[in-house]
Amino acid sequence: MIFFKFCNFRLPITKFCKSVLDEYPIHISQLHPLGLVKLLHFEFSCIALGHIPKITIFWAFFVLVWKSPMFTFDR
């Protein structure tokens, strides 16, 4: 519960968030809260700028990396 509260994660998740999580072979519980924040921030920034968030654009900015003990998105 604290995990979701820290990264401001709400259910139901957006289609973009689900599509990104489906692309990687990890469970959401393996993703660091700050990694999830980066994912959601990217999505909301795209929407605020009037663009549709796309996975290919997300990949241009972020990669999934292992930072013990969890995965996160890094530049």
Side-chain angles (χ1 to χ4, degrees):
M1 183 67 166
I2 294 173
F3 173 82
F4 296 126
K5 189 180 227 181
F6 178 77
C7 59
N8 202 21
F9 182 75
R10 301 287 185 258
L11 293 174
I13 63 173
T14 62
K15 290 179 184 178
F16 175 73
C17 185
K18 180 175 178 350
S19 63
V20 170
L21 292 173
D22 286 344
E23 287 295 318
Y24 297 103
I26 62 169
H27 189 266
I28 192 168
S29 64
Q30 295 173 300
L31 188 61
H32 193 277
L34 293 178
L36 191 55
V37 168
K38 291 175 186 177
L39 173 66
L40 297 174
H41 183 262
F42 174 81
E43 180 182 10
F44 298 146
S45 296
C46 286
I47 293 169
L49 293 171
H51 298 286
I52 297 171
K54 297 180 182 176
I55 296 175
T56 54
I57 300 172
F58 181 76
W59 288 339
F61 291 101
F62 297 102
V63 295
L64 185 69
V65 295
W66 171 256
K67 289 191 178 177
S68 186
M70 303 181 104
F71 290 96
T72 190
F73 292 108
D74 205 358
R75 292 187 241 148

